Amino acid sequence: MTPHDSDVSTISPELPAMFDGMKLAAVATVLYIIVRCLNLKSPTAPPDLTYQDTPLNRFLLKSCPQLTKEYIPPLLWGKSGHLQTALYGKLGRVNSPHPSGVRKYLPMQDGATATFDLFEPQGDHRTGDDITMVICPGIGNHSEKHYIRTFVDYAQKDGYRCAVLNHLGALPNIELTSPRMFTYGCTWEFAAMVGYIKRTYPQTQLMVVGFSLGGNIVCKFLGENSMNQERVLCCVSVCQGYSALRAQETFLQWDQFRRFYNFLMADNMKKIILSHRHSLFGGNPVKTIDLDLGPLYTATSLMQIDDNIMRKFHGHSSLKEYYEKESCVHYIHNVNVPLLLVNSADDPLVHESLLTIPRTLAAKKPNVIFSLTLHGGHLGFFEGAVLFPQPLTWMDKVIVGYANAMCQWEKQKPPLLTRHDQGLTPEGIRAHSHGRILSL
């Protein structure tokens, strides 16, 4: 045996052990990354609530257990706001139903045609009353989206009529009849739908529901004019950002991959706009805007699209003016009907700094409850044991549960109960947050 052979025989037995150690280190690293990315060590908890201690709010929290019990997402992936958001964005919902409705067309004064889908209840409401949910979906969404279909089917079975707005230009098979499409805060189409429901069903009472961008629109609609709150029992807003002006800076940041989501949403908006380019920019004798589409093709953010195109539909002179006038933050304090604002702490689209708006509002106004879940992503809120989510989400259940509680309150309260008796006046009211009493 040569010296060289001796060295090889001495080293060789150690190599497998070294490789095994490297494998273990690699596996440990991968597991650590998975645990961190999926947020597996995060606890489950009830929603963090901010509200004032009034008889109505106590009744609502007692009668709607989803607001006070733990929200438990699927174990393996449900604690990741990104996966919750991605599943909502790609699939919408699991095994979503196909509720049967009738499409309505409403001519607008500027030549536009608003459309909404009307779904009749599948049975009597538990109170025996006629209740209609008027629903405003998220950005570029409509009644055919899976999350809307799932919610409508669930609400129908609980005795609610549902009217779902189709954002102007969002339906691929409906042509625009004027050079205008939906924007961040335009309430014209939603107001037209609500007016139709009030005229057609003079005995009905309204539950107003808005998802994401739709939450901004419904809160702005109610706060713009006090008459818009007539016959409205309550309002629920889910996953909105409240102020586009404050949000624009956060959408350019890479934390929580918000810049990437911004790019994806901008790309979707480009597709919607370009699908209607003939109606919007050419061939129509009455043009709202006349511009070069070059900046649209190269846009990589919603702000670029808003500045080059969207703000011009309503004649705003600047992006700042557009965001200020179309954000509900300037109107929501005028909403006096019971208002439930729902957000998720791991929503990758809504920066935590924006949540001071609903939290402050709920601490100051007795009609507002702000519910912040630990998990849920953006319009996800899936529930499930380990891997597979349930068809119904926590979001679906909490909206219908809150609506049922409001109907029950209205049914059983004494006829002469005043707003002071309900606790809807500021005097002598306490605010609760994190289980603590806040002095106002």
Side-chain angles (χ1 to χ4, degrees):
M1 178 181 296
T2 66
H4 178 73
D5 294 333
S6 176
D7 290 342
V8 172
S9 62
T10 303
I11 295 172
S12 294
E14 297 178 358
L15 289 177
M18 181 178 71
F19 286 133
D20 286 343
M22 292 173 62
K23 290 178 183 178
L24 287 174
V27 170
T29 301
V30 170
L31 289 176
Y32 174 78
I33 293 173
I34 291 174
V35 169
R36 287 294 302 270
C37 290
L38 298 183
N39 208 17
L40 295 178
K41 295 182 69 175
S42 177
T44 58
D48 178 32
L49 301 175
T50 305
Y51 64 98
Q52 293 192 6
D53 184 23
T54 68
L56 173 57
N57 286 342
R58 288 196 299 269
F59 179 84
L60 291 173
L61 295 178
K62 180 180 178 181
S63 303
C64 182
Q66 289 83 8
L67 287 172
T68 54
K69 292 185 177 180
E70 274 188 327
Y71 160 55
I72 303 177
L75 178 63
L76 291 183
W77 55 269
K79 294 179 181 178
S80 166
H82 297 292
L83 290 180
Q84 288 255 15
T85 303
L87 188 58
Y88 144 73
K90 200 66 179 174
L91 298 179
R93 291 293 180 259
V94 179
N95 300 322
S96 60
H98 293 79
S100 178
V102 177
R103 182 152 295 164
K104 301 290 184 180
Y105 299 82
L106 303 175
M108 308 289 290
Q109 289 185 352
D110 67 344
T113 303
T115 70
F116 71 94
D117 286 20
L118 187 62
F119 303 86
E120 291 296 333
Q122 296 181 7
D124 293 335
H125 191 269
R126 63 187 63 197
T127 63
D129 293 330
D130 186 303
I131 312 292
T132 302
M133 287 192 175
V134 284
I135 302 165
C136 192
I139 183 172
N141 289 176
H142 44 74
S143 62
E144 297 175 10
K145 291 294 183 178
H146 288 230
Y147 76 100
I148 295 293
R149 283 169 25 194
T150 299
F151 175 71
V152 165
D153 181 73
Y154 182 51
Q156 279 182 296
K157 290 176 179 176
D158 237 46
Y160 292 96
R161 179 186 300 107
C162 294
V164 183
L165 180 69
N166 300 309
H167 284 300
L168 200 61
L171 282 169
N173 58 336
I174 301 293
E175 291 289 334
L176 294 175
T177 58
S178 78
R180 181 174 66 83
M181 60 179 289
F182 78 92
T183 58
Y184 177 67
C186 179
T187 59
W188 296 353
E189 292 80 49
F190 187 76
M193 180 180 76
V194 170
Y196 176 92
I197 295 297
K198 287 182 175 181
R199 292 190 303 271
T200 308
Y201 304 96
Q203 302 303 316
T204 197
Q205 293 179 296
L206 304 180
M207 300 279 186
V208 179
V209 180
F211 299 102
S212 191
L213 172 142
N216 177 73
I217 288 176
V218 300
C219 290
K220 181 172 177 281
F221 166 75
L222 292 176
E224 282 176 334
N225 190 327
S226 60
M227 293 181 64
N228 293 341
Q229 300 178 48
E230 293 178 358
R231 292 167 58 186
V232 173
L233 286 178
C234 64
C235 174
V236 181
S237 162
V238 184
C239 287
Q240 70 151 307
Y242 306 96
S243 172
L245 190 62
R246 298 191 200 180
Q248 67 169 335
E249 292 182 5
T250 71
F251 262 112
L252 296 175
Q253 299 167 358
W254 278 101
D255 68 299
Q256 292 295 314
F257 300 100
R258 201 170 294 106
R259 184 66 179 86
F260 178 66
Y261 287 107
N262 187 3
F263 172 79
L264 293 179
M265 290 189 293
D267 190 59
N268 186 57
M269 279 299 298
K270 279 196 283 189
K271 292 176 181 176
I272 295 175
I273 294 170
L274 291 173
S275 71
H276 296 289
R277 58 181 173 270
H278 181 72
S279 301
L280 293 173
F281 311 118
N284 195 310
V286 182
K287 290 186 182 181
T288 300
I289 54 178
D290 187 8
L291 72 160
D292 176 16
L293 288 182
L296 174 64
Y297 288 107
T298 59
T300 60
S301 72
L302 285 175
M303 288 74 76
Q304 290 172 325
I305 295 175
D306 289 341
D307 194 23
N308 284 290
I309 293 178
M310 307 306 286
R311 68 174 176 84
K312 298 177 183 179
F313 287 133
H314 294 280
H316 296 296
S317 61
S318 66
L319 184 63
K320 180 180 179 181
E321 179 187 283
Y322 170 66
Y323 283 161
E324 282 186 339
K325 291 191 175 181
E326 299 230 342
S327 295
C328 76
V329 67
H330 303 297
Y331 305 89
I332 197 169
H333 59 278
N334 296 325
V335 179
N336 294 314
V337 299
L339 175 61
L340 174 63
L341 303 173
V342 178
N343 286 95
S344 170
D346 66 355
D347 186 337
L349 304 185
V350 180
H351 191 269
E352 61 182 356
S353 63
L354 299 172
L355 301 181
T356 57
I357 297 171
R359 186 176 288 113
T360 301
L361 187 74
K364 291 182 177 180
K365 287 184 66 72
N367 61 304
V368 181
I369 295 177
F370 173 50
S371 173
L372 181 65
T373 61
L374 196 57
H375 309 109
H378 190 78
L379 295 181
F381 298 104
F382 292 97
E383 290 184 308
V386 179
L387 180 61
F388 297 104
Q390 300 170 2
L392 279 179
T393 68
W394 178 88
M395 178 181 79
D396 302 317
K397 297 174 185 176
V398 79
I399 297 173
V400 172
Y402 179 83
N404 287 339
M406 272 305 311
C407 292
Q408 187 180 351
W409 170 267
E410 289 293 319
K411 195 72 174 178
Q412 72 179 36
K413 73 178 184 182
L416 298 179
L417 190 63
T418 65
R419 291 179 61 81
H420 184 276
D421 296 324
Q422 295 180 55
L424 298 184
T425 58
E427 294 84 2
I429 295 175
R430 296 171 293 171
H432 289 246
S433 180
H434 306 278
R436 300 191 301 270
I437 296 177
L438 304 177
S439 59
L440 299 181

